Amino acid sequence: MRTILVVGGGYAGFYAAWKLEKKLRRGEARVVLVDPRPYMTYQPFLPEVLAGSVEARHAAVSQRRHLRKTKIISGTVVRIDHASRSVTIRPAEGPEYPLGYDVIVVTAGAVTRKLAVPGVADRAIGLKHVEEAVAIRDQLLTAFDRAATLPPGPRRRRLLTVTFVGGGFSGVEGFGELLSLARALIRKYPELDPAELSFHLVEARDRILPEVSDEPGRWVVRSLEKRGAHVHLGALVRSAEDGHVVLSTGVTFDSDLIVWTAGNAANPMVHNHTDLPIDARGMLVVRADLRVGTAGAPVPDAWGAGDDAAVPDLAAGDGRATVPNAQHAVRQGKLLARNLIADLRGRRTRDYVHHSLGTVATLGLGTGIFEWKSVVIKGFPAWLMHRGYHVLAVPSWERKVRVLVIWVAAALFGRDIVSLASVQHPRQAFVTGGEPAAPAIDPEPVPGHR
């Protein structure tokens, strides 16, 4: 029996393994999936996890629950040696070991792009995983509790200042949802002045949301600014040491919560530790049918899809690769499974061609933006479309029902504003005899930074 090894359990890897399970004949092949996390993160729900509109666990789809015929290895592939059909696995426990395979599917995804900005590595939080979304939410809620005990002044303003770096979909949606939560939350704190709330969105380009056209992008900026946000376009973060943010435009401010969403970078394993072909950006070279290689030189028994693969965008027809988003990753994963099985059975494969269904984004509770060709929908209808699309797109009926129940409960009873930051210190109460854990808030600012 052949072994099909799936490297990575994100969108593309999860859907590829899921479809392989359903389509493989008994005894035709076995599927092995390697991923350090036991779940697939449904990333479009992370902004709503920030705002408490979706329970954190409901944005995570269990691999073992849904991939019942797949062997799941909790670990990370640190090297691919396709010439010998072998990978090196670093398990969650124990030493590294080699694992052989017959066919490999590389869907390792991308990583958050980091820049050498002083202070960012020490203070910023990313927004690619459920744990990060929960930490951001808890830190904001804890900041409100702490600010309410302080007199007006620099320390209180710092606690109520939030900075998002990156104006793509992840950054804008997360920023809009957290801003919506903060503006609703401050009404519960009569000790605080709404004018003290300060939200900053920093984008290096002269516009946000590059996936939408210029006018809808400008409308999003106006909408955020109308709600009190500060949108810094054409600005770079020069430093964030000790929470003192310095922009290239000369603007400075202190911020306890810094969220880094400045795009994706090539997966280091794919870029540095494989003998499979990669391009100048460190992306896997993939043909239109999702085989690794080029049209004239395919690599036998190797397939790739998702954010780590440069899949030709045949719908665009201009030689570009598909953009790294959920629409492409899900559909590529499904097609990859069909093509792999067709190849096993000696049949023809199909090229990946997907025409966009449009772009839709949430900007906070009750506000959104949708664009498809020349059709632009703004405000509440677009927000409903966002929720409708993603509740249909999240895999499994079990997850759809759970998310819908949470939304109905929130509509009836309002947001849940309880912070569980203390779970980051689970032994604190035991060790100290009942004293609460220290809040997950950064230290006092350096003297002189105001």
Side-chain angles (χ1 to χ4, degrees):
M1 189 186 302
R2 291 189 176 190
T3 296
I4 301 172
L5 177 64
V6 181
V7 180
Y11 285 118
F14 178 87
Y15 275 95
W18 207 16
K19 293 300 178 183
L20 284 169
E21 279 193 353
K22 295 179 179 180
K23 295 180 179 296
L24 283 170
R25 298 168 183 158
R26 183 183 297 272
E28 189 173 19
R30 71 182 186 123
V31 182
V32 179
L33 183 144
V34 183
D35 194 87
R37 287 180 168 80
Y39 55 82
M40 183 269 283
T41 302
Y42 191 73
Q43 291 185 350
F45 277 159
L46 292 186
E48 298 212 44
V49 172
L50 287 184
S53 301
V54 169
E55 165 65 36
R57 291 171 300 168
H58 300 167
V61 181
S62 170
Q63 294 166 356
R64 293 187 181 274
R65 177 167 186 157
H66 298 289
L67 302 179
R68 298 175 182 174
K69 300 177 184 177
T70 297
K71 179 181 179 181
I72 296 172
I73 298 175
S74 179
T76 304
V77 172
V78 295
R79 180 175 295 277
I80 298 174
D81 184 1
H82 190 63
S84 62
R85 301 297 193 275
S86 175
V87 299
T88 301
I89 293 178
R90 181 178 296 154
E93 292 287 341
E96 296 179 0
Y97 64 90
L99 178 69
Y101 62 84
D102 297 290
V103 180
I104 192 168
V105 175
V106 184
T107 53
V111 298
T112 300
R113 183 179 58 160
K114 299 175 184 176
L115 302 177
V117 178
V120 166
D122 300 325
R123 305 188 66 89
I125 305 176
L127 189 54
K128 286 184 73 70
H129 303 291
V130 174
E131 302 93 329
E132 294 171 321
V134 172
I136 293 167
R137 170 181 163 81
D138 283 345
Q139 184 162 329
L140 179 75
L141 295 175
T142 303
F144 268 78
D145 287 335
R146 295 190 70 187
T149 67
L150 295 172
R155 180 57 182 157
R156 193 157 98 171
R157 288 198 303 271
R158 175 189 172 102
L159 284 166
L160 298 176
T161 299
V162 176
T163 306
F164 272 66
V165 183
F169 261 86
S170 178
V172 171
E173 288 192 316
F175 183 81
E177 286 287 351
L178 204 64
L179 174 62
S180 179
L181 170 63
R183 291 183 64 81
L185 191 62
I186 204 163
R187 293 196 290 268
K188 309 291 185 182
Y189 289 82
E191 308 93 333
L192 302 178
D193 184 349
E196 295 177 289
L197 198 62
S198 184
F199 269 63
H200 297 263
L201 177 62
V202 183
E203 169 54 46
R205 291 166 293 196
D206 60 358
R207 53 165 298 176
I208 61 174
L209 295 178
E211 294 87 351
V212 303
S213 55
D214 290 345
E215 178 50 38
R218 287 192 289 268
W219 178 85
V220 172
V221 172
R222 293 195 298 270
S223 174
L224 293 173
E225 290 179 337
K226 190 180 297 184
R227 291 155 59 190
H230 306 279
V231 181
H232 306 273
L233 298 179
L236 299 172
V237 177
R238 296 298 189 197
S239 174
E241 289 185 292
D242 302 306
H244 184 66
V245 179
V246 179
L247 303 185
S248 59
T249 56
V251 175
T252 65
F253 51 88
D254 290 326
S255 177
D256 258 336
L257 179 53
I258 300 173
V259 183
W260 190 267
T261 61
N264 294 327
N267 189 297
M269 187 277 293
V270 175
H271 188 267
N272 302 318
H273 304 293
T274 176
D275 57 352
L276 295 171
I278 59 173
D279 65 12
R281 299 176 298 155
M283 308 286 283
L284 200 64
V285 176
V286 176
R287 306 187 334 167
D289 64 355
L290 305 180
R291 297 174 190 261
V292 174
T294 61
V299 177
D301 302 323
W303 304 77
D307 292 355
D308 64 357
V311 180
D313 191 347
L314 300 184
D318 54 7
R320 291 180 298 177
T322 56
V323 296
N325 63 23
Q327 277 193 40
H328 287 301
V330 169
R331 287 162 178 79
Q332 288 169 10
K334 293 178 179 179
L335 178 64
L336 189 154
R338 291 195 294 268
N339 279 352
L340 197 161
I341 291 173
D343 185 63
L344 288 177
R345 298 172 185 172
R347 299 175 185 168
R348 294 184 60 184
T349 59
R350 292 172 47 202
D351 287 345
Y352 177 74
V353 183
H354 172 63
H355 297 277
S356 174
L357 302 176
T359 54
V360 62
T362 175
L363 304 174
L365 190 64
T367 305
I369 182 77
F370 169 82
E371 182 178 29
W372 180 69
K373 296 183 178 179
S374 61
V375 178
V376 177
I377 300 174
K378 306 170 184 174
F380 186 72
W383 177 78
L384 285 178
M385 294 172 68
H386 177 273
R387 285 204 161 182
Y389 172 79
H390 285 299
V391 80
L392 291 174
V394 67
S396 84
W397 280 102
E398 171 250 343
R399 275 295 178 264
K400 299 179 198 296
V401 172
R402 290 181 186 273
V403 170
L404 282 172
V405 169
I406 289 293
W407 282 344
V408 171
L412 292 175
F413 305 112
R415 299 175 186 269
D416 190 341
I417 59 172
V418 175
S419 169
L420 295 178
S422 58
V423 300
Q424 298 173 35
H425 311 274
R427 297 186 65 251
Q428 183 76 16
F430 176 75
V431 171
T432 62
E435 287 294 324
I441 295 292
D442 294 318
E444 292 287 329
V446 173
H449 284 178
R450 293 290 184 265

